[in-house]
Amino acid sequence: MILMLKKITSVFLTILILITGIFLTISFLLKWNLREKEIIRNLKNNDLSFLLQDRSGKEPVFVTEMRHFLEFVNIPSDTIDAVLNSDATKTFVGKYTHDFLNYLIYQENPASITKEDLKILAQANFKVIEQKLSENHKVFASNESQKILNFIDSYSGEVMNFFPTANQLLQKIDQGSITLYKDITLKDVTLSFQLFLSTPIICFALTLLLISFFLLLWIHRETQEYFSYFEAIFLIYIFLFVTVEIVLSTVLKDFLMNYWESANTFINYFINVLCKNLWFFLLLVTMALIVVSILAKKNKKKILTEC
């Protein structure tokens, strides 16, 4: 009876360790990739010209607002596409995106975009404008840059209207009505992210994992049978995430590429980044599995010797 109870408890603890381990892995991957630094890096490493049009061929609202802003402050119209795809603009969009996601997920009030931020953005793009104009055999006059900065100063109120804060933007849309795929809405995705990124839930999952781990050690402290349970946990974890990696890099990648063909390069890059991050965990768990397997073999030899 006691042996059966130990067996049932051990299986339950094994499942608990596996589930909390999977949950914490997903949480870490989300937290890592949603950092401002990572968002900006991923944007800078890609040609974002595909964002100038959505799947229906229309220009997204944010791009339209950005284009209107650039035209408003007298950026030459034939340089706007180059400016929209510059590193300086990608950094600006990355910070704006990070603030938006923070408000969407954590309900944190985003930092307001200031007049100085816009002047820095304009200054960082002057070389891009000059280069683009020279390609078209035009000249960016030396006084034009100062005119643009003066215009931003003079019409700062109007300029700031082009960039609503994240909470202002979300007030204009119904998250439940924005369908990302079939019946999956933006609200559903937001709730999922809130679950995986909730600090109290992450702390609870980590505590549960540690308690389960030490309970498994304590139950089998005499026989050291916990090695076989740890081997099972690591093997199932590796199998599950290798399967996820294969699905991400094949089925999901093909689906997304067919769904939004103009974004193929970005989709390929982003999924490769996710898979690379995932393989970091798989490598760690594989190393842990090797160590546990070696210890398990030594333990079996020890038991056989004692017998």
Side-chain angles (χ1 to χ4, degrees), residues 1 62 87 107 126 138 146 174 183 197 200 202 225 253:
M1 183 65 183
F62 181 81
D87 279 354
Q107 298 299 304
F126 287 156
K138 296 180 181 179
Q146 191 57 49
D174 178 10
D183 295 328
L197 296 173
I202 290 173
E225 287 181 20
K253 184 186 286 188

Side-chain angles (χ1 to χ4, degrees), residues 175-186 259:
Q175 294 182 51
S177 65
I178 299 178
T179 304
L180 301 179
Y181 177 68
K182 291 187 177 181
D183 295 328
I184 301 174
T185 65
L186 176 60
Y259 187 74

Side-chain angles (χ1 to χ4, degrees), residues 10 15 20 25 54 62 105 110-111 139 159 227 249 268 272 298:
S10 298
I15 294 171
T20 51
T25 301
D54 59 22
F62 181 81
I105 298 168
V139 177
V159 168
F227 284 124
S249 58
N268 183 65
N272 286 343
K298 285 184 177 180

Side-chain angles (χ1 to χ4, degrees), residues 153-164:
D153 270 328
S154 301
Y155 295 93
S156 59
E158 289 83 351
V159 168
M160 296 310 298
N161 288 333
F162 287 119
F163 300 98

Side-chain angles (χ1 to χ4, degrees), residues 146-211:
Q146 191 57 49
K147 280 183 181 179
I148 291 170
L149 296 177
N150 291 340
F151 200 90
I152 293 174
D153 270 328
S154 301
Y155 295 93
S156 59
E158 289 83 351
V159 168
M160 296 310 298
N161 288 333
F162 287 119
F163 300 98
T165 60
N167 51 344
Q168 290 172 337
L169 192 59
L170 283 173
Q171 284 172 8
K172 298 178 181 179
I173 64 175
D174 178 10
Q175 294 182 51
S177 65
I178 299 178
T179 304
L180 301 179
Y181 177 68
K182 291 187 177 181
D183 295 328
I184 301 174
T185 65
L186 176 60
K187 187 174 183 179
D188 296 330
V189 174
T190 300
L191 290 173
S192 298
F193 275 30
Q194 288 173 348
L195 173 67
F196 283 106
L197 296 173
S198 168
T199 300
I201 294 177
I202 290 173
C203 291
F204 176 74
L206 182 59
T207 303
L208 208 56
L209 185 146
L210 292 173
I211 291 172

